[in-house]
Amino acid sequence: MSEDAGSDELESIAIAVHSLVGLPTTIRSLNRNGLRLEKGKILDRDYTGPVLEEVLRTGKTIRGVPKEGTYLGRNVAVSPIFSEDGKVIAAIGIVDLLSVLEMQEIIRTVVNNSHAVVFLWKNEEKWPSEFVSENVVRFGYTIEDFISGRVLYGDIIHPDDLKRVKDSLEDHIRRGDVDFNIEYRIFTKVGDLHWVNERTFIQRNPDGEVTHLQGLVLDITERKKSEEALRKSLETQKMLRTIINNSQAVAFLWENKENLPTIYVSENVTQFGYKVEDFTSGKIPYKSIIHRDDIDSVIEILNRNITEGQDSFDVEYRIFTGDGKMLWVDEKAFIQRDNDGKATHFQGLVVDITERKEAQKMLEIQRKLGTELSSTWNFQTMLNLVLDSCLQIHGLDAGFIYLKDELLDQINLVADRGISPEFREKVSRYKADSLEARQILIGKPIYSLEFYSDTMVDAVKKEGIKAIAIIPLKYRGEIVGSLNFASSTLDKIPWSIRTFLESTALQVVNYVAPVCVQAEL
């Protein structure tokens, strides 16, 4: 070899070194470019590189990382070749074996201490393993379990997931993909079930056939548990929200500040005629919808329970709906305190109890009416008591009492409240053959404006009547008159009021009819 040796002269030396170390090899003489070999093949017959040139210039062995050229960024080792008289005549280099081994050790250490287990599988039935990283012990297995073939990777995949994994692999191979990602369950060596995420790289030979699969298998069991717990939590929240929003109870969370600002309110607040945003935006403070006659007592009860260290309390009060109607509500309130015991919030379940309150009121009215009727024989006083009592019911604005006049063969108005003189004149009597009288004499309650004949339509409309209740008075099997009530605010008479009026009619007729009969006698 001389300082002018070319590729042909250097080839035998280069091949010998390359075969020996199995690493990329380069060589050149002092005055001519040389060779580059990789994987048993000569890739370049006119090669030179910056480190080769530096070694020829300095005559010293260099281990380093080129900043340019073919091996940019890779550790290389290049040594000079001397002539017999000590002159540098050539240089030969390889990728630094020591650095490669060190890098391999670093990579192995990183892999084996990571959460991802590395596999190299053959593309065969159930994927036998050619390589598996040491951290496979995370799943209870040893390297030998897989490398020996005692355990095939397909056998540890959950049977319910295996077909999906196969189909996914085949689909990606068919599409020509180089990698894919999938999640499934595997069994550990002791039989525990773990969720894993697999990132697989598909390896093909020069003919495009898939020979191997390189997989990174990451245990995601804890993440799946968290996702499942979150899913169940969200489902529970959704279920509770659905239950609340379809219940009669409206849920509130108020801050313990002036006017009780609302942090949260359930969607079913619409039953009170409001939207969620009305309260949560601060547009409507909750305190502002409480009846002014009840505010002081509500605040007093609230403060008393806070002072006494109570956790919850009940209170009944009136509120106004979005369209101005008044409702009775029952509030079950829970007091929330901070670590110092200071009340910070109130959680309330507010239920409309207007019907219950009205029912209690109706029972009290009937009890009192019965007592008062039994203590008088004055006919007009009785009639006045009946009207005054019934008109205490919210929604009833006018009342009429009719009694049958056998002599004139008609039904006469004998007492009334809440109607104009003009309307009174039009409804003061019904002839026996009139539509109104015929309906009364049938003996069944009527709750329709069709009770009135066509000639009365304009008068009823002018009077502002929107709903009526006609309750026949039956005594000893005969119709003796009727209790008539009207509303200018209700679109129809509620069932609770209907029940009250019908039972009141049964109560009243036993006092009024005997007095009426005695007067006729």
Side-chain angles (χ1 to χ4, degrees):
M1 180 187 298
S2 69
E3 58 187 24
D4 296 313
S7 299
D8 293 340
E9 297 172 79
L10 299 173
E11 184 174 337
S12 59
I13 298 174
I15 290 175
V17 173
H18 181 62
S19 299
L20 180 63
V21 298
L23 297 170
T25 304
T26 61
I27 189 171
R28 66 157 292 172
S29 66
L30 180 64
N31 298 322
R32 296 178 65 183
N33 291 346
L35 301 166
R36 180 169 74 87
L37 297 82
E38 287 188 17
K39 296 181 180 179
K41 295 181 180 180
I42 299 174
L43 302 181
D44 192 345
R45 287 184 171 275
D46 188 30
Y47 180 79
T48 187
V51 181
L52 285 173
E53 293 170 357
E54 186 176 353
V55 168
L56 290 171
R57 187 173 61 255
T58 63
K60 296 180 179 179
T61 297
I62 296 177
R63 293 179 183 274
V65 180
K67 297 180 180 180
E68 57 181 328
T70 303
Y71 295 102
L72 169 68
R74 298 178 66 180
N75 283 282
V76 298
V78 180
S79 294
I81 298 174
F82 297 96
S83 63
E84 291 182 359
D85 57 2
K87 290 177 59 178
V88 176
I89 58 173
I92 188 168
I94 59 171
V95 172
D96 191 350
L97 178 61
L98 180 59
S99 296
V100 169
L101 294 175
E102 288 176 349
M103 184 57 65
Q104 289 178 346
E105 181 63 27
I106 291 171
I107 292 172
R108 186 169 64 251
T109 300
V110 170
V111 168
N112 290 330
N113 286 279
S114 73
H115 295 289
V117 180
V118 179
F119 282 90
L120 180 63
W121 300 296
K122 294 179 183 178
N123 185 31
E124 298 175 3
E125 183 69 21
K126 293 188 178 180
W127 308 294
S129 302
E130 285 194 354
F131 171 83
V132 60
S133 55
E134 295 172 8
N135 59 342
V136 74
V137 294
R138 291 179 177 276
F139 300 138
Y141 299 99
T142 63
I143 294 175
E144 290 74 19
D145 288 333
F146 289 99
I147 301 302
S148 67
R150 289 196 304 269
V151 178
L152 297 176
Y153 191 78
D155 287 333
I156 74 171
I157 298 176
H158 194 289
D160 292 344
D161 296 345
L162 183 58
K163 184 178 184 303
R164 178 168 57 85
V165 174
K166 287 181 177 179
D167 291 346
S168 180
L169 173 60
E170 290 172 2
D171 184 53
H172 286 282
I173 289 175
R174 186 168 54 252
R175 295 205 308 252
D177 295 337
V178 297
D179 65 350
F180 72 96
N181 190 276
I182 190 170
E183 293 181 357
Y184 54 87
R185 293 164 293 176
I186 66 170
F187 290 102
T188 66
K189 195 167 185 176
V190 296
D192 294 334
L193 199 60
H194 282 219
W195 274 96
V196 296
N197 176 286
E198 177 195 320
R199 177 68 181 271
T200 293
F201 301 89
I202 301 170
Q203 297 182 1
R204 293 176 170 85
N205 63 21
D207 297 326
E209 297 175 344
V210 176
T211 59
H212 292 81
L213 306 165
Q214 186 173 352
L216 297 175
V217 180
L218 180 66
D219 190 337
I220 58 169
T221 305
E222 291 304 317
R223 193 197 81 193
K224 280 288 187 179
K225 287 180 179 179
S226 298
E227 289 175 354
E228 180 65 14
L230 178 59
R231 184 186 65 79
K232 289 182 178 179
S233 175
L234 292 174
E235 286 180 352
T236 300
Q237 290 179 26
K238 183 178 180 181
M239 179 182 67
L240 291 175
R241 186 167 61 249
T242 300
I243 291 172
I244 290 174
N245 290 332
N246 287 280
S247 73
Q248 293 181 328
V250 180
F252 281 89
L253 179 63
W254 301 293
E255 201 169 0
N256 184 21
K257 292 182 178 179
E258 183 68 21
N259 292 326
L260 298 176
T262 304
I263 305 299
Y264 167 85
V265 60
S266 54
E267 296 172 11
N268 61 338
V269 73
T270 53
Q271 65 184 277
F272 294 155
Y274 299 102
K275 296 181 293 186
V276 170
E277 295 76 18
D278 291 336
F279 291 100
T280 55
S281 67
K283 177 182 175 183
I284 301 177
Y286 186 77
K287 187 177 177 182
S288 69
I289 75 170
I290 300 176
H291 195 291
R292 64 181 182 181
D293 293 341
D294 296 343
I295 289 178
D296 290 342
S297 63
V298 171
I299 297 302
E300 189 276 327
I301 291 172
L302 173 61
N303 290 334
R304 185 176 72 247
N305 279 275
I306 291 174
T307 302
E308 293 176 356
Q310 301 296 329
D311 294 325
S312 64
F313 64 91
D314 291 275
V315 61
E316 294 181 359
Y317 53 90
R318 291 163 291 178
I319 65 170
F320 289 101
T321 64
D323 56 3
K325 294 180 181 178
M326 189 185 74
L327 299 179
W328 272 97
V329 297
D330 176 271
E331 178 193 321
K332 176 72 172 181
F334 301 87
I335 302 172
Q336 297 182 0
R337 293 179 167 83
D338 60 19
N339 294 333
D340 298 325
K342 180 182 177 182
T344 59
H345 296 83
F346 310 109
Q347 186 174 357
L349 294 175
V350 180
V351 181
D352 181 356
I353 59 168
T354 305
E355 287 191 9
R356 190 187 82 193
K357 279 288 188 177
E358 288 292 334
Q360 292 174 348
K361 181 180 179 180
M362 291 172 190
L363 288 173
E364 179 58 25
I365 288 172
Q366 286 183 331
R367 184 196 65 76
K368 185 177 180 182
L369 178 59
T371 301
E372 291 176 337
L373 288 175
S374 64
S375 64
T376 181
W377 278 90
N378 184 285
F379 184 63
Q380 196 60 47
T381 300
M382 287 183 177
L383 299 180
N384 291 335
L385 284 171
V386 172
L387 290 176
D388 291 341
S389 297
C390 291
L391 290 176
Q392 293 179 53
I393 302 301
H394 180 70
L396 298 183
D397 307 310
F400 330 69
I401 300 179
Y402 289 87
L403 291 176
K404 187 177 179 183
D405 187 332
E406 295 286 357
L407 182 62
L408 297 178
D409 197 21
Q410 63 187 22
I411 298 176
N412 296 327
L413 179 64
V414 294
D416 64 86
R417 290 282 190 282
I419 60 174
S420 66
E422 294 79 11
F423 192 72
R424 182 186 298 111
E425 178 62 28
K426 289 183 177 296
V427 299
S428 61
R429 64 188 60 82
Y430 297 124
K431 291 293 185 179
D433 60 351
S434 67
L435 174 65
E436 291 85 354
R438 291 199 307 271
Q439 291 183 87
I440 291 173
L441 293 174
I442 290 174
K444 294 183 178 180
I446 302 166
Y447 298 100
S448 171
L449 290 177
E450 293 180 359
F451 167 77
Y452 292 108
S453 61
D454 292 342
T455 58
M456 287 294 298
V457 172
D458 290 339
V460 170
K461 187 174 182 180
K462 184 177 179 181
E463 194 69 13
I465 295 173
K466 298 172 65 176
I468 59 168
I470 313 297
I471 316 297
L473 294 172
K474 192 172 185 179
Y475 184 70
R476 294 180 180 177
E478 291 188 16
I479 302 301
V480 297
S482 68
L483 293 182
N484 294 21
F485 292 92
S487 175
S488 60
T489 56
L490 301 174
D491 293 326
K492 62 181 181 179
I493 305 299
W495 285 105
S496 58
I497 297 180
R498 295 184 185 189
T499 302
F500 165 76
L501 292 177
E502 291 172 21
S503 62
T504 300
L506 294 173
Q507 176 189 29
V508 165
V509 74
N510 291 316
Y511 291 98
V512 173
V515 175
C516 184
V517 170
Q518 185 175 358
E520 291 178 353
L521 294 174

